[in-house]
Amino acid sequence: MLIPIILSGGAGTRLWPASRQAFPKPFMSLGGSPLLQQAIERGMACGTEEVMIVTNQDYLYLTKTLLKDMPDQPHASYLLEPKGRNTAPAIALAALACEATYGKDAVMLVLPADHLIPDTESFVTNVLEAKRHALQGQLVTFGISPTTPDTGFGYIEVEKTARTAQKALRFVEKPDLVTAQEYLATGRYYWNSGMFCFTAGTILDAFRAHSPEVLEAAQTTMSHANTTGEVTKFEAHDFNIQPDISIDYAVMERANNVTLVPAKFGWSDVGSWPAVANANTSDTNGNTFLADVVSVDTHDTHVQIESHTAKVVATIGLENLVIVDTPDALLVAHKNAAQKVKNIVDALKTRKHESTILPAAVNRPWGTYATLKEESGYKVKRITVATGQSLSLQYHHKRAEHWVVVQGTGLVQIGDTEHTTQPGEHRYIPLGEKHRLTNIGEEELVLIEVQCGGYLGEDDIVRLNDIYGRA
Amino acid sequence: MLIPIILSGGAGTRLWPASRQAFPKPFMSLGGSPLLQQAIERGMACGTEEVMIVTNQDYLYLTKTLLKDMPDQPHASYLLEPKGRNTAPAIALAALACEATYGKDAVMLVLPADHLIPDTESFVTNVLEAKRHALQGQLVTFGISPTTPDTGFGYIEVEKTARTAQKALRFVEKPDLVTAQEYLATGRYYWNSGMFCFTAGTILDAFRAHSPEVLEAAQTTMSHANTTGEVTKFEAHDFNIQPDISIDYAVMERANNVTLVPAKFGWSDVGSWPAVANANTSDTNGNTFLADVVSVDTHDTHVQIESHTAKVVATIGLENLVIVDTPDALLVAHKNAAQKVKNIVDALKTRKHESTILPAAVNRPWGTYATLKEESGYKVKRITVATGQSLSLQYHHKRAEHWVVVQGTGLVQIGDTEHTTQPGEHRYIPLGEKHRLTNIGEEELVLIEVQCGGYLGEDDIVRLNDIYGRA
């Protein structure tokens, strides 16, 4: 039994403004599909339909929507954290859940949800090799052969320069450049990919031996968890006892039964805009244009537009830049300094700037909305509702709403009356009146909403009934 | 009698994407107000309320709207060209109009509408000096003391290095760099500013002597012109006989009575994005930010946002760049290559890209509109109507419209019924039904329009009645 454990989270900082706190890297599309979807497919390619996803409870609906779109749907279970802590608690909780469901011999394949691995075949070969070691009681880590003295990764030392599976001697934290260069020269160091393979029993034994406090906290939290169907949710007051510690530090650096399997596959953690550029195919000038770009004398430049409306980008005389445009934020950065996007996000967070939190299009359990225009006294939104989905029955204290359906068929409840509403038809929701919108058609429902009122915050919503349990 | 003759036009190319074919440089705001307004105010500061504006007929309403916003309103007359030709025909037509209205001794002060001259006091001093020479039968040109060997300007040679009014010996076309450097070294060359001062009689005599075909064409065209009140309009079939020739080539290079007055004022033709940057006050890093910018390690960079919605711009590790963002086009260019924006606009024009023609917000006689969103089957617009203004009485063959007033008070005629409409109220215009919108309130009317239909082009409009003569 092989269970991919997908660790799906992130701060949405390093790839801002495309990623946001409420839309971190796993949900970003790279190479055609969201990274989280690719991670799940990669795990399933190893011969399983079972997947366990450890993620923040805020991302549950976004994740479920994403899974629903997958051609081959996994049988997914969820561990929902109230906040991101670190890898050791996440893996300890997943190990307890695995042991309880599948037994202690179940093989856990721990995969961060935001890596890019184009070569699935080599990945599967490596995983099957790792699985053999895991079944022999090893804690298996996948090492990436370093191509540069990168100071952004942890390194793992082995004994022999041979690129074969062998005992991991030592885990080291992110080194300085000189040290990284020394590591590279020896030929005995690998990048720590953050991917692991072990049985539930082996990792639980390892926690018991090397970090019993992590295991005990996980056991306590798990004993208070609320499980409904495939979803296990931890409340904040139960979860907060988890120590903020990585699996490397809690277990890997201390254990004596760690085997490193050298990755035979290409790998990127796409942890920066230059890494995103590298993950895309470039044109003859080294440019990676994910947009409608007209360029003159432009080289090695990455352009990406995240927008619902058509927009052209003109570049003249540029070299080694990253340009990322969204409706509410534009980033222009030199590739050599792109890691300083963190400083930008920090500065904007002190201003509580919304572009650090919400993406320009917001995902909800029932669909999406995007603000087209907001000025004093009114707000215009484009709202989509997926087939069969429904917004909560709700009312507002401070605003009236005009709805014009522009695609699909909606059922609009106003007060106690329901109105089937077709494209081109308008409904008016008076201030204080209860109302609900449901997509009763076969295609996506698209609606233009004009809110009118003195206060138009998202928090002016009283939910009377909600099929997603938010009332 | 001094009459400022304002030449207001342009291709909207060099400052794309802020300027567009339908919104050229004279309408762009720089230093707080549109350049055209500054040119008019500069002319009036010389002691006149009369202004003659030579412009394209497409710009008439935009120009009138702009004049209406001026604190001190000029008494303006208009010469409306069907297309931009060149400076010789424009000045010849203006001279004929001046002579007819004010007599042959009227002093014409020819001012391009898109120059930046911060020091009005020195300008006025220079103009009064020029006027004295003009009244003595001189063709006066204003020379700018060159600060760099710029190859983008024509040059004027004088005899003496002394920076005083003297005879202009020679007009030369834009030189190459080596020649420009030689000019600069002599101390006897000035940039040709394109500003002139002469009496109507003197310039008409000069045309007669040096380019009689220009004068004759102007006389013929003028004899067929339609004059209504302050507006003189030339039809295309009458105007097309005008030769495409500059005043420099037609008259100045050939005449013997040209006096150069050295400008004592700061001057820029703001003919490129770096020139726009130079015209703004920079911060300690040399940056000119006309936007909400968060910057790290950024120097000598110009950032400008033309948008109705709030947007933040983040810059990291940039030097000598120009970043101009609009809703439908983004320009990122190195300052040293910014003149190649022309290549971009040419490339987009071959694609008939709308960003080369219309600004993101379109100005109409009655107000403005901006498209917020367009997808198959619908379009969302924000429409503003100035106080007392009215759209034409019209109907559409292919679309119905929903209107929600969000500010001001509208009178909505649908069929033969009129409805006073307040903020928060909705009106529905069925397909094929005649309708009209009028602002009957004291403040600007703002309306959100949702168009629904299979075809949503701007040309599906049948005007039954129009107070601007467009029916």
Side-chain angles (χ1 to χ4, degrees), chain A residues 93-353:
Chain A
L93 289 162
L96 291 172
C98 265
E99 186 189 38
T101 310
Y102 308 105
K104 71 184 175 56
D105 292 333
V107 176
M108 299 166 64
L109 174 64
V110 176
L111 303 176
D114 54 0
H115 290 177
L116 196 66
I117 298 174
D119 179 3
T120 300
E121 201 176 322
S122 299
F123 174 79
V124 171
T125 306
N126 266 169
V127 167
L128 297 182
E129 181 186 2
K131 184 180 172 185
R132 285 195 301 276
H133 294 286
L135 289 171
Q136 290 162 17
Q138 291 293 301
L139 301 166
V140 183
T141 179
F142 296 87
I144 311 293
S145 294
T147 50
T148 58
D150 200 302
T151 59
F153 297 121
Y155 284 70
I156 305 170
E157 185 184 5
V158 294
E159 196 179 359
K160 294 171 286 189
T161 54
R163 299 271 143 181
T164 52
Q166 57 182 298
K167 187 177 173 65
L169 295 181
R170 195 164 67 103
F171 280 67
V172 288
E173 304 274 325
K174 295 172 184 174
D176 59 29
L177 184 62
V178 172
T179 310
Q181 286 166 334
E182 288 170 7
Y183 290 170
L184 223 66
T186 66
R188 293 188 299 102
Y189 282 82
Y190 290 84
W191 288 340
N192 182 355
S193 70
M195 296 187 289
F196 302 99
C197 189
F198 31 63
T199 66
T202 305
I203 190 69
L204 288 171
D205 286 345
F207 276 120
R208 200 168 287 119
H210 306 296
S211 290
E213 72 289 357
V214 174
L215 180 62
E216 281 156 28
Q219 285 167 328
T220 303
T221 298
M222 188 58 91
S223 69
H224 293 106
N226 294 312
T227 299
T228 313
E230 76 282 9
V231 176
T232 297
K233 188 174 168 184
F234 310 114
E235 297 299 337
H237 56 267
D238 295 321
F239 184 81
N240 283 344
I241 58 169
Q242 304 299 321
D244 182 2
I245 181 173
S246 73
I247 188 70
D248 303 327
Y249 190 72
V251 172
M252 296 297 162
E253 294 185 5
R254 305 175 187 187
N256 198 32
N257 57 334
V258 180
T259 294
L260 180 139
V261 168
K264 297 187 193 310
F265 46 82
W267 173 90
S268 170
D269 77 336
V270 282
S272 67
W273 280 115
V276 172
N278 287 336
N280 283 280
T281 307
S282 59
D283 66 18
T284 52
N285 291 312
N287 295 317
T288 43
F289 291 158
L290 309 180
D292 178 8
V293 179
V294 181
S295 69
V296 174
D297 300 341
T298 297
H299 303 275
D300 302 311
T301 289
H302 179 77
V303 180
Q304 182 163 345
I305 297 267
E306 306 279 328
S307 170
H308 289 285
T309 50
K311 183 163 185 174
V312 69
V313 181
T315 66
I316 306 174
L318 306 185
E319 206 159 329
N320 269 316
L321 293 194
V322 168
I323 300 169
V324 183
D325 188 44
T326 74
D328 59 352
L330 164 65
L331 170 71
V332 183
H334 197 281
K335 279 184 179 172
N336 294 347
Q339 77 283 1
K340 291 187 183 163
V341 68
K342 195 186 170 311
N343 307 16
I344 299 283
V345 174
D346 287 347
L348 289 171
K349 277 191 173 163
T350 64
R351 282 170 51 185
K352 297 189 199 305
H353 198 277

Side-chain angles (χ1 to χ4, degrees), chain A residues 7-15 19-27 54-56 59 81 83-85 113-114 349 356-357:
Chain A
L7 306 181
S8 177
T13 299
R14 292 186 294 172
L15 298 185
S19 69
R20 310 273 169 113
Q21 186 181 309
F23 191 79
K25 190 154 48 113
F27 299 104
V54 187
T55 191
N56 189 289
Y59 305 143
E81 301 175 337
K83 61 159 78 174
R85 186 51 57 101
D114 54 0
K349 277 191 173 163
T356 62
I357 302 163

Side-chain angles (χ1 to χ4, degrees), chain B residues 50 110 118 127-128 130 135 142 147 152 166 180 236 243 248 262 299 321 327 329 339 378 385 389 409 418 429:
Chain B
E50 305 286 309
V110 176
V127 167
L128 297 182
L135 289 170
F142 296 88
T147 50
Q166 57 181 302
D248 303 329
H299 304 275
L321 292 195
Q339 78 283 3
Y378 79 98
V385 185
Q389 297 298 305
T409 304
E418 293 184 325
I429 320 294

Side-chain angles (χ1 to χ4, degrees), chain B residues 233-252:
Chain B
K233 188 174 168 183
F234 309 113
E235 296 301 334
H237 57 269
D238 295 321
F239 184 82
N240 283 344
I241 59 169
Q242 304 299 320
D244 182 1
I245 181 172
S246 73
I247 188 71
D248 303 329
Y249 190 72
V251 172
M252 297 296 163

